CSV table of all heavy atoms in Angstrom, one decimal:
chain,number,residue,atom,x,y,z
E,130,ALA,N,80.1,98.9,125.0
E,130,ALA,CA,81.1,98.1,124.3
E,130,ALA,C,81.5,98.7,123.0
E,130,ALA,O,80.7,99.5,122.4
E,130,ALA,CB,80.6,96.7,124.1
E,131,THR,N,82.7,98.5,122.6
E,131,THR,CA,83.2,98.9,121.3
E,131,THR,C,83.4,97.6,120.5
E,131,THR,O,83.6,96.5,121.0
E,131,THR,CB,84.4,99.7,121.3
E,131,THR,OG1,85.4,98.9,122.0
E,131,THR,CG2,84.2,101.0,122.2
E,132,PRO,N,83.3,97.7,119.1
E,132,PRO,CA,83.3,96.5,118.3
E,132,PRO,C,84.7,95.7,118.6
E,132,PRO,O,85.8,96.2,118.5
E,132,PRO,CB,83.3,97.0,116.8
E,132,PRO,CG,82.5,98.3,117.0
E,132,PRO,CD,83.0,98.8,118.3
E,133,ASN,N,84.5,94.4,118.8
E,133,ASN,CA,85.7,93.6,119.2
E,133,ASN,C,86.6,93.4,117.9
E,133,ASN,O,87.9,93.4,118.1
E,133,ASN,CB,85.3,92.2,119.7
E,133,ASN,CG,84.7,92.3,121.1
E,133,ASN,OD1,85.2,93.1,121.9
E,133,ASN,ND2,83.7,91.4,121.4
E,134,TRP,N,86.1,93.4,116.7
E,134,TRP,CA,86.9,93.2,115.5
E,134,TRP,C,87.9,94.4,115.4
E,134,TRP,O,89.0,94.2,115.0
E,134,TRP,CB,86.1,93.1,114.3
E,134,TRP,CG,85.4,94.4,113.9
E,134,TRP,CD1,84.2,94.8,114.2
E,134,TRP,CD2,86.0,95.4,113.0
E,134,TRP,NE1,83.9,96.1,113.6
E,134,TRP,CE2,85.1,96.4,112.9
E,134,TRP,CE3,87.2,95.6,112.4
E,134,TRP,CZ2,85.3,97.6,112.2
E,134,TRP,CZ3,87.5,96.7,111.7
E,134,TRP,CH2,86.5,97.7,111.5
E,135,PHE,N,87.4,95.6,115.9
E,135,PHE,CA,88.2,96.8,115.7
E,135,PHE,C,89.4,96.7,116.7
E,135,PHE,O,90.5,97.2,116.3
E,135,PHE,CB,87.4,98.0,115.9
E,135,PHE,CG,88.1,99.3,115.7
E,135,PHE,CD1,88.5,99.6,114.4
E,135,PHE,CD2,88.3,100.2,116.7
E,135,PHE,CE1,89.1,100.8,114.2
E,135,PHE,CE2,89.0,101.4,116.5
E,135,PHE,CZ,89.4,101.7,115.2
E,136,LYS,N,89.3,96.2,117.8
E,136,LYS,CA,90.3,96.1,118.8
E,136,LYS,C,91.5,95.2,118.3
E,136,LYS,O,92.6,95.3,118.7
E,136,LYS,CB,89.9,95.5,120.2
E,136,LYS,CG,88.7,96.3,120.8
E,136,LYS,CD,88.3,95.7,122.1
E,136,LYS,CE,87.1,96.3,122.8
E,136,LYS,NZ,85.9,95.8,122.2
E,137,ASP,N,91.2,94.3,117.3
E,137,ASP,CA,92.2,93.4,116.8
E,137,ASP,C,92.8,94.0,115.5
E,137,ASP,O,93.7,93.4,115.0
E,137,ASP,CB,91.5,92.1,116.4
E,137,ASP,CG,91.2,91.2,117.6
E,137,ASP,OD1,91.8,91.4,118.6
E,137,ASP,OD2,90.3,90.4,117.4
E,138,ALA,N,92.4,95.2,115.1
E,138,ALA,CA,92.9,95.8,113.9
E,138,ALA,C,94.2,96.5,113.9
E,138,ALA,O,94.6,96.9,114.9
E,138,ALA,CB,91.8,96.7,113.3
E,139,VAL,N,94.8,96.6,112.7
E,139,VAL,CA,95.9,97.5,112.5
E,139,VAL,C,95.5,98.4,111.4
E,139,VAL,O,95.0,98.0,110.3
E,139,VAL,CB,97.2,96.8,112.1
E,139,VAL,CG1,98.3,97.8,111.8
E,139,VAL,CG2,97.6,95.8,113.2
E,140,MET,N,95.5,99.7,111.6
E,140,MET,CA,95.0,100.8,110.7
E,140,MET,C,96.1,101.4,109.9
E,140,MET,O,97.2,101.6,110.3
E,140,MET,CB,94.2,101.8,111.6
E,140,MET,CG,93.5,102.9,110.8
E,140,MET,SD,92.7,104.1,111.9
E,140,MET,CE,91.5,103.1,112.6
E,141,TYR,N,95.7,101.9,108.8
E,141,TYR,CA,96.6,102.6,107.8
E,141,TYR,C,95.9,103.8,107.3
E,141,TYR,O,94.8,103.8,106.7
E,141,TYR,CB,97.0,101.7,106.7
E,141,TYR,CG,98.2,102.2,105.8
E,141,TYR,CD1,99.5,101.9,106.2
E,141,TYR,CD2,98.0,102.9,104.7
E,141,TYR,CE1,100.6,102.2,105.4
E,141,TYR,CE2,99.0,103.3,103.9
E,141,TYR,CZ,100.3,103.0,104.3
E,141,TYR,OH,101.4,103.3,103.5
E,142,GLN,N,96.5,105.0,107.6
E,142,GLN,CA,95.8,106.3,107.1
E,142,GLN,C,96.4,106.7,105.8
E,142,GLN,O,97.6,106.8,105.6
E,142,GLN,CB,96.1,107.4,108.1
E,142,GLN,CG,95.5,108.7,107.7
E,142,GLN,CD,95.8,109.9,108.6
E,142,GLN,OE1,96.3,109.7,109.7
E,142,GLN,NE2,95.5,111.1,108.1
E,143,ILE,N,95.5,107.0,104.8
E,143,ILE,CA,95.9,107.4,103.5
E,143,ILE,C,95.4,108.8,103.1
E,143,ILE,O,94.2,109.1,103.1
E,143,ILE,CB,95.4,106.4,102.4
E,143,ILE,CG1,96.0,105.0,102.6
E,143,ILE,CG2,95.7,106.9,101.0
E,143,ILE,CD1,95.6,104.0,101.7
E,144,PHE,N,96.3,109.7,102.7
E,144,PHE,CA,96.0,111.0,102.1
E,144,PHE,C,96.0,110.7,100.6
E,144,PHE,O,97.1,110.6,100.0
E,144,PHE,CB,97.1,112.0,102.6
E,144,PHE,CG,96.7,113.4,102.3
E,144,PHE,CD1,96.1,114.1,103.3
E,144,PHE,CD2,97.0,114.1,101.1
E,144,PHE,CE1,95.7,115.5,103.1
E,144,PHE,CE2,96.8,115.4,100.9
E,144,PHE,CZ,96.1,116.1,101.9
E,145,VAL,N,94.9,110.6,100.0
E,145,VAL,CA,94.7,109.9,98.8
E,145,VAL,C,95.5,110.6,97.6
E,145,VAL,O,96.2,109.9,96.9
E,145,VAL,CB,93.2,110.0,98.3
E,145,VAL,CG1,93.0,109.3,96.9
E,145,VAL,CG2,92.3,109.2,99.3
E,146,ASP,N,95.6,111.9,97.5
E,146,ASP,CA,96.3,112.5,96.5
E,146,ASP,C,97.8,112.2,96.5
E,146,ASP,O,98.5,112.3,95.5
E,146,ASP,CB,96.1,114.1,96.5
E,146,ASP,CG,96.9,114.8,95.4
E,146,ASP,OD1,96.5,114.5,94.2
E,146,ASP,OD2,97.8,115.6,95.7
E,147,ARG,N,98.3,111.8,97.7
E,147,ARG,CA,99.8,111.6,97.8
E,147,ARG,C,100.2,110.1,98.0
E,147,ARG,O,101.3,109.8,98.2
E,147,ARG,CB,100.3,112.3,99.0
E,147,ARG,CG,99.8,113.8,99.1
E,147,ARG,CD,100.3,114.6,97.9
E,147,ARG,NE,99.5,115.8,97.7
E,147,ARG,CZ,99.7,117.0,98.3
E,147,ARG,NH1,100.6,117.1,99.3
E,147,ARG,NH2,99.0,118.0,98.0
E,148,PHE,N,99.2,109.2,97.8
E,148,PHE,CA,99.5,107.8,98.0
E,148,PHE,C,100.0,107.1,96.8
E,148,PHE,O,101.0,106.5,96.7
E,148,PHE,CB,98.4,107.1,98.7
E,148,PHE,CG,98.6,105.7,99.1
E,148,PHE,CD1,99.7,105.3,100.0
E,148,PHE,CD2,97.9,104.6,98.6
E,148,PHE,CE1,99.9,104.0,100.3
E,148,PHE,CE2,98.1,103.3,98.9
E,148,PHE,CZ,99.2,103.0,99.8
E,149,CYS,N,99.1,107.0,95.8
E,149,CYS,CA,99.4,106.3,94.6
E,149,CYS,C,98.5,106.7,93.4
E,149,CYS,O,97.3,106.8,93.7
E,149,CYS,CB,99.3,104.8,94.8
E,149,CYS,SG,99.7,103.8,93.3
E,150,ASN,N,99.1,107.0,92.3
E,150,ASN,CA,98.3,107.2,91.1
E,150,ASN,C,98.1,105.9,90.4
E,150,ASN,O,99.1,105.2,90.0
E,150,ASN,CB,99.0,108.2,90.1
E,150,ASN,CG,98.1,108.6,89.0
E,150,ASN,OD1,97.3,107.8,88.5
E,150,ASN,ND2,98.4,109.8,88.4
E,151,GLY,N,96.9,105.4,90.3
E,151,GLY,CA,96.6,104.0,89.8
E,151,GLY,C,96.9,103.9,88.3
E,151,GLY,O,96.9,102.8,87.8
E,152,HIS,N,97.1,105.0,87.6
E,152,HIS,CA,97.4,105.0,86.2
E,152,HIS,C,98.9,104.9,85.9
E,152,HIS,O,99.6,105.8,86.3
E,152,HIS,CB,96.8,106.2,85.5
E,152,HIS,CG,95.2,106.3,85.6
E,152,HIS,ND1,94.4,105.5,84.8
E,152,HIS,CD2,94.5,106.9,86.4
E,152,HIS,CE1,93.2,105.8,85.1
E,152,HIS,NE2,93.2,106.6,86.1
E,153,ASP,N,99.3,103.9,85.3
E,153,ASP,CA,100.8,103.6,85.2
E,153,ASP,C,101.4,104.8,84.5
E,153,ASP,O,102.6,105.2,84.8
E,153,ASP,CB,101.0,102.4,84.4
E,153,ASP,CG,100.6,101.2,85.2
E,153,ASP,OD1,100.5,101.2,86.4
E,153,ASP,OD2,100.3,100.1,84.5
E,154,GLU,N,100.8,105.5,83.6
E,154,GLU,CA,101.4,106.6,82.8
E,154,GLU,C,101.3,107.9,83.6
E,154,GLU,O,101.7,108.9,83.1
E,154,GLU,CB,100.7,106.7,81.5
E,154,GLU,CG,99.3,107.2,81.5
E,154,GLU,CD,98.2,106.2,81.8
E,154,GLU,OE1,98.6,105.0,82.2
E,154,GLU,OE2,97.0,106.5,81.7
E,155,GLY,N,100.7,107.9,84.8
E,155,GLY,CA,100.7,109.1,85.6
E,155,GLY,C,99.6,110.0,85.2
E,155,GLY,O,99.6,111.2,85.5
E,156,LYS,N,98.6,109.5,84.5
E,156,LYS,CA,97.5,110.4,84.1
E,156,LYS,C,96.8,111.0,85.2
E,156,LYS,O,96.5,110.4,86.3
E,156,LYS,CB,96.5,109.5,83.3
E,156,LYS,CG,95.2,110.2,82.8
E,156,LYS,CD,94.3,109.2,82.1
E,156,LYS,CE,92.9,109.9,81.8
E,156,LYS,NZ,92.0,108.9,81.2
E,157,ILE,N,96.4,112.3,85.1
E,157,ILE,CA,95.6,113.0,86.1
E,157,ILE,C,94.2,113.0,85.7
E,157,ILE,O,93.8,113.4,84.6
E,157,ILE,CB,96.1,114.5,86.2
E,157,ILE,CG1,97.6,114.6,86.5
E,157,ILE,CG2,95.3,115.2,87.3
E,157,ILE,CD1,98.0,114.1,87.9
E,158,LEU,N,93.4,112.5,86.6
E,158,LEU,CA,91.9,112.4,86.3
E,158,LEU,C,91.2,113.7,86.5
E,158,LEU,O,91.4,114.4,87.5
E,158,LEU,CB,91.3,111.4,87.3
E,158,LEU,CG,91.7,109.9,87.2
E,158,LEU,CD1,91.0,109.1,88.3
E,158,LEU,CD2,91.4,109.3,85.8
């Protein structure tokens, strides 16, 4: 069996460097 919760899911793939900079001023960590 595979996890039932997963069959109900909707997934979203994120390429982290290109999704969002959490620093409002655009600071590079």
Side-chain angles (χ1 to χ4, degrees):
T131 58
N133 286 327
W134 72 268
F135 187 64
K136 301 182 186 80
D137 287 334
V139 177
M140 185 184 292
Y141 193 88
Q142 179 186 350
I143 295 178
F144 195 89
V145 177
D146 181 63
R147 312 297 161 85
F148 183 60
C149 178
N150 187 333
H152 298 278
D153 294 336
E154 69 281 10
K156 174 184 175 182
I157 303 293
L158 296 177

